[in-house]
């Protein structure tokens, strides 16, 4: 997510400077690779790189090819085979043994739905969306349609290729809708006059982190969350603490009493909250309001006895706390990494939130009897359209 934000910002800057740009996207990986499909890198005509498509070994060659793409104004599909001895040197720094297909597209701003515009549209809406990238493995020197379709809950945006081509794209749209429903990427082949492969990618909004408490220990938590590209808001009832000067990295800083805080906040299924005001009554009031909401995570800083006491008080006051509501409450907040001090505690808390959002336990990769990245891609299928 942060990478895509950075790419969009770099594109806007290049536009202001009148520079041409190209977008490189990992669209297919066979075997192992440092980056998975969906990794992107923006290249400007003066050689500025934003994002990454590998561990650093492919970027130089991709830069040279991107300059050709910008000159010819034609997309190019590039394949790097790190299983081949002739190409093996490319994979030395990657530590991988696979075939990596990268699509490099010129950003033609005359097309109102060019790839960066589709990414901007998605970022602006803050919705889960599906982005479909079309390419031809069969004819690498032929047409490479590129970033072709953006599907959200509220609509579909097509690029110039799909708008102009006589392509009945019902199957493509239906597959995109299925990806949106299942939250699974998929790769699919379509045969229509020629065979095209589609990387159908699910894009999730950045996590939204609500930090209730503006004490000194909230400062590193806010800063680290910002480094991750999370949408971060700090809320506290003390005007002297909740200031932009103390939290320059926060997206928003609000001074609010507990009963007025939620009126000023947008909450969705990608929202996490951490209660760390060091004010028992403030945390209790916020926990009462947060429990019924569809948050992904509610963390309570401090000992488990504090959380148990708050839950008991809520029950005694007549609140009904359902098991599914308790499942999203984590207290003490954070993973058990032996954290000491506010910076390490912030690392512990953010690691747990990331694991929860990913549906994982946060265990050591050493103990995982499977590839590092769990499969999130549906099986490859083909269809005539």
């Amino acid at each position: 997510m942060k990478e895509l934000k950075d790419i969009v910002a770099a594109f806007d800057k290049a536009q202001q400077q009148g520079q041409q740009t190209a977008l490189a996207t990992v669209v297919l990986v066979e075997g192992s690779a440092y980056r998975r499909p969906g990794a992107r890198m923006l290249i400007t005509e003066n050689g500025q790189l934003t994002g990454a498509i590998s561990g650093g070994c492919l970027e130089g060659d991709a830069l040279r090819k991107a300059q050709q793409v910008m000159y010819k104004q034609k997309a190019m599909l590039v394949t790097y085979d790190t299983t081949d001895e002739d190409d093996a040197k490319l994979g030395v720094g990657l530590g991988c043994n696979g075939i990596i297909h990268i699509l490099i597209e010129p950003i033609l701003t005359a097309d109102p739905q060019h790839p960066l515009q589709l990414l901007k549209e998605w970022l602006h809406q803050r919705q889960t969306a599906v982005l479909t990238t079309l390419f031809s493995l069969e004819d690498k020197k032929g047409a490479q349609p590129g970033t072709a379709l953006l599907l959200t809950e509220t609509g579909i945006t097509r690029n110039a290729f799909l708008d102009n081509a006589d392509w009945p794209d019902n199957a493509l749209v239906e597959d995109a809708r299925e990806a949106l429903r299942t939250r699974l990427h998929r790769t699919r082949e379509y045969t229509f006059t020629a065979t095209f492969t589609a990387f159908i990618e699910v894009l999730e909004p950045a996590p939204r982190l609500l930090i209730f408490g503006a004490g000194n220990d909230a400062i590193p938590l806010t800063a680290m969350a910002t480094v991750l590209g999370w949408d971060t808001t700090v809320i506290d009832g003390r005007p002297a603490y909740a200031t932009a000067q103390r939290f320059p990295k926060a997206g928003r800083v609000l001074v609010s009493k507990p009963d007025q805080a939620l009126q000023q906040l947008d909450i969705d299924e990608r929202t996490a909250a951490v209660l760390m005001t060091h004010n028992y009554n403030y945390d209790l009031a916020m926990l009462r309001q947060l429990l019924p909401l569809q948050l992904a995570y509610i963390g309570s800083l401090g000992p488990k006895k504090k959380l148990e006491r708050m839950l008991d008080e809520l029950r005694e006051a007549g609140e009904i706390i359902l098991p599914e509501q308790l499942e999203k409450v984590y207290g003490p907040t954070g993973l058990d990494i032996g954290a000491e001090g506010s910076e390490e505690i912030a690392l512990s808390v953010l690691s747990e939130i990331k694991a929860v959002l990913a549906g994982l336990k946060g265990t050591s990769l050493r103990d995982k009897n499977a590839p590092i990245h769990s499969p999130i891609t549906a099986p490859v299928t083909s269809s005539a359209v």
Side-chain angles (χ1 to χ4, degrees), residues 87-287:
D87 281 355
K89 61 182 181 295
L90 292 170
V92 170
L94 299 172
C96 60
N97 185 34
I99 302 172
I100 307 160
H101 303 275
I102 296 173
L103 182 68
I104 305 176
E105 307 171 72
I107 305 303
L108 307 176
T109 54
D111 176 6
Q113 307 304 342
H114 59 75
L116 267 297
Q117 186 58 42
L118 294 183
L119 288 174
K120 282 185 178 184
E121 183 177 330
W122 166 65
L123 286 170
H124 177 72
Q125 293 181 13
R126 191 177 166 81
Q127 295 182 32
T128 300
V130 172
L131 191 66
T132 298
T133 305
L134 287 168
F135 54 99
S136 175
L137 290 168
E138 186 179 77
D139 182 9
K140 292 184 180 180
K141 294 185 179 180
Q144 301 292 344
T147 309
L149 184 144
L150 177 71
L151 172 74
T152 67
E153 295 286 1
T154 56
I156 300 174
T157 304
R158 297 170 172 83
N159 76 347
F161 176 84
L162 290 183
D163 275 342
N164 298 332
D166 187 21
W167 180 332
D169 62 356
N170 291 340
L172 184 65
V173 172
E174 287 306 310
D175 286 337
R177 288 200 174 109
E178 181 65 11
L180 186 63
R181 184 186 69 80
T182 62
R183 299 296 201 266
L184 285 174
H185 305 325
R186 60 193 59 220
T187 300
R188 186 161 189 181
E189 291 184 346
Y190 302 89
T191 300
F192 174 72
T193 64
T195 298
F196 291 95
T197 302
F199 172 48
I200 304 172
E201 176 187 10
V202 180
L203 300 175
E204 297 277 9
R208 176 174 281 153
L209 179 60
L210 308 178
I211 301 172
F212 291 93
N216 290 342
D217 53 356
I219 294 174
L221 181 62
T222 305
M224 289 184 189
T226 303
V227 168
L228 294 173
W230 294 10
D231 179 0
T232 306
T233 301
V234 177
I235 311 101
D236 199 300
R238 299 169 292 180
Y241 283 75
T243 68
Q245 290 73 28
R246 281 171 53 79
F247 295 93
K249 301 293 186 181
R252 298 175 68 194
V253 180
L254 301 177
V255 178
S256 178
K257 295 179 180 179
D259 59 347
Q260 299 171 355
L262 293 188
Q263 302 170 16
Q264 306 174 65
L265 300 171
D266 294 321
I267 292 176
D268 56 29
E269 61 183 7
R270 297 275 293 170
T271 300
V274 179
L275 303 175
M276 52 189 304
T277 65
H278 301 281
N279 180 317
Y280 180 85
N281 291 326
Y282 196 113
D283 284 357
L284 176 65
M286 290 314 311
L287 182 61

Side-chain angles (χ1 to χ4, degrees), residues 8-21 42-50 109:
V8 168
F11 169 74
D12 288 340
K13 183 177 179 180
Q15 285 291 102
Q16 294 169 4
Q17 296 172 347
Q19 291 194 56
Q20 292 188 71
T21 55
L42 186 79
I43 306 102
T44 65
E45 64 178 282
N46 68 354
Q48 183 70 37
L49 306 178
T50 304
T109 54

Side-chain angles (χ1 to χ4, degrees), residues 295-336:
L295 279 79
Y297 177 100
I298 301 172
S300 173
L301 186 70
K304 183 175 291 187
K305 287 184 178 179
K306 172 194 170 185
L307 175 61
E308 291 174 345
R309 178 186 167 191
M310 289 195 293
L311 292 171
D312 287 343
E313 284 196 30
L314 292 177
R315 293 187 182 101
E316 290 170 4
E319 299 287 340
I320 298 175
I321 303 175
L322 303 175
E324 54 266 31
Q325 293 174 332
L326 281 178
E327 286 179 1
K328 62 188 179 184
V329 180
Y330 295 78
T333 181
L335 293 183
D336 183 8

